[in-house]
Amino acid sequence: MKRKNLKALIALGFASTFVLAACGGGASDETADTSGGNTDTSGGSSAEDFSIVMVTDIGGVDDRSFNQSAWEGMQAWGEEHGKEQGTDGYAYIQSDDDSQITTNLNTAVQSNFDLIYGIGFKLQPAMAELAEQNPDQNFVLIDDVIESDNVASVLFKDHEAAFLAGVAAGETTETDRVGFVGGEKSAVIDRFEAGFVAGVEAANPDATVDVQYAGSFGDAAMGKQLAAGMYGNGADIIFHASGDTGNGVFSEAIDRMNAGSDTQLWVIGVDRDQQEQGNYSGGNLTLTSTLKGVGTAVHDIANQTMEGNFPGGQVTNYGLAEGGVGLTEGNLSDDVKTSIDEYRQQIIDGEITVPETPGE
């Protein structure tokens, strides 16, 4: 019997919604084989007792964004295979602070799960070290790369979806001022920022973009403060790529709209459909949301590994062409949706190359 001593395990229930909406079919692989691959399933466990666990990034599985998307994919996998949460099926260990990441990953290893997911680039250093120390344990890293036979790495072309969000903002703004709130500076959030700014510039050269960083993915109060400054300076749309911090952006927009704002304010969500977060007394202020198929990747790699085809040593990159990132319809006008479809196709066809770093 496997040992499942998960001190940080929290049992929460969410709907299983791992398939990207308004984003085409399932994602396919663009792989760079760095190490040759590993087809073992962590000790040869049978499908009946195959188990998976995820260690979250900061924010937890109820962040309504990045971590929650991954957790929903894991729940969907569990439902598909009749697995139970927290026993020999699937589970999560929540990281509330950066200092907990190494401990949580060690807990996952010691608990003998067949497949361990690290949700976010912050887990890369600790997972790289543990992967080297535990060559028979299979790992999956989301949003960064570890070159090892026992690690499957998953990246997303966030800049492509962010570009479409920029087009939406540029064509919708009435003030020609929009904002971007990032969590922490990193290569991942750089992609969001660069794509968004490029999309705004392409759609509306007269618009300006106020870029601010909260320094955290789990500080809703800071998100609210940054949003207050942006809206106060005339911005009418803010795109956040900041995890739980973005809940503060929504909160500020809702408070202003409920107080009778003369300007229609909007928020663009990130990583999953955040439509419900935009509800206020007079309607809904989620303009659209970028979609990131984290849950789909979690689900698909679990199935591959359970079947003996763990993609170790490979880097899988999900973009618009693969259906791995996208944009919801939200409250977009028909004209803006038509424009976004045109830009999307130009990106897929290679007619537009979206920058991955600010200022590129």
Side-chain angles (χ1 to χ4, degrees):
M1 178 65 67
K2 294 181 181 180
R3 181 163 50 90
K4 307 291 185 191
N5 180 24
L6 295 181
K7 297 180 290 183
L9 183 63
I10 304 173
L12 295 174
F14 295 97
S16 297
T17 54
F18 66 94
V19 179
L20 284 182
C23 192
S28 60
D29 288 353
E30 281 187 0
T31 58
D33 194 342
T34 58
S35 311
N38 177 358
T39 58
D40 191 358
T41 57
S42 294
S45 297
S46 65
E48 288 74 18
D49 65 357
F50 186 83
S51 60
I52 61 177
V53 65
M54 60 179 265
V55 176
T56 74
D57 197 349
I58 310 307
V61 297
D62 56 352
D63 65 356
R64 304 180 185 179
S65 186
F66 184 61
N67 292 294
Q68 185 168 332
S69 177
W71 178 236
E72 288 170 348
M74 189 167 283
Q75 288 180 302
W77 174 84
E79 181 177 351
E80 177 183 339
H81 297 287
K83 301 286 187 177
E84 294 184 5
Q85 179 185 341
T87 56
D88 288 327
Y90 64 98
Y92 71 87
I93 308 174
Q94 183 159 311
S95 303
D96 296 316
D97 185 82
D98 289 348
S99 64
Q100 298 176 354
I101 289 174
T102 298
T103 299
N104 289 345
L105 283 170
N106 270 303
T107 299
V109 171
Q110 294 163 9
S111 299
N112 296 321
F113 282 88
D114 294 297
L115 189 61
I116 298 172
Y117 292 84
I119 310 301
F121 65 88
K122 285 192 169 189
L123 284 79
Q124 197 272 356
M127 181 174 282
E129 183 175 351
L130 282 175
E132 183 176 358
Q133 295 170 355
N134 299 273
D136 294 326
Q137 172 68 61
N138 287 337
F139 298 87
V140 180
L141 180 63
I142 305 293
D143 264 355
D144 210 333
V145 175
I146 296 173
E147 297 186 2
S148 177
D149 283 353
N150 62 330
V151 183
S153 301
V154 178
L155 299 176
F156 293 87
K157 299 176 184 179
D158 305 296
H159 51 299
E160 294 183 347
F163 183 95
L164 300 183
V167 171
E171 296 197 0
T172 303
T173 179
E174 297 291 336
T175 65
D176 283 342
R177 291 188 64 86
V178 300
F180 173 84
V181 173
E184 295 183 28
K185 288 289 293 183
S186 65
V188 174
I189 307 304
D190 277 354
R191 291 198 290 270
F192 280 103
E193 178 190 338
F196 181 68
V197 172
V200 172
E201 291 177 347
N204 184 353
D206 294 329
T208 59
V209 184
D210 184 3
V211 175
Q212 301 286 340
Y213 278 80
S216 171
F217 291 103
D219 191 343
M222 178 57 71
K224 184 174 176 63
Q225 178 181 326
L226 293 176
M230 291 180 179
Y231 288 132
N233 287 329
D236 58 349
I237 303 170
I238 297 176
F239 174 39
H240 88 90
S242 57
D244 193 45
T245 297
N247 291 325
V249 177
F250 277 100
S251 177
E252 180 63 22
I254 289 169
D255 287 349
R256 286 174 176 258
M257 291 301 292
N258 284 337
S261 172
D262 293 332
T263 304
Q264 171 65 58
L265 304 179
W266 300 103
V267 179
I268 298 177
V270 71
D271 290 343
R272 65 190 295 274
D273 190 348
Q274 296 191 313
Q275 185 78 10
E276 290 186 3
Q277 286 176 253
N279 291 329
Y280 71 100
S281 60
N284 184 280
L285 53 73
T286 302
L287 180 62
T288 180
S289 303
T290 60
L291 296 173
K292 182 171 183 172
V294 180
T296 302
V298 167
H299 180 274
D300 289 351
I301 293 175
N303 278 343
Q304 291 176 44
T305 307
M306 188 171 66
E307 294 165 0
N309 299 309
F310 175 65
Q314 296 182 9
V315 181
T316 305
N317 208 336
Y318 295 78
L320 287 176
E322 297 77 34
V325 299
L327 202 69
T328 64
E329 291 190 0
N331 287 295
L332 298 172
S333 70
D334 289 341
D335 287 345
V336 173
K337 285 187 284 189
T338 297
S339 182
I340 286 170
D341 285 342
E342 293 172 353
Y343 277 108
R344 176 189 288 113
Q345 194 59 50
Q346 289 179 65
I347 293 170
I348 292 173
D349 292 342
E351 297 173 13
I352 293 176
T353 300
V354 182
E356 297 187 46
T357 57
E360 183 180 334

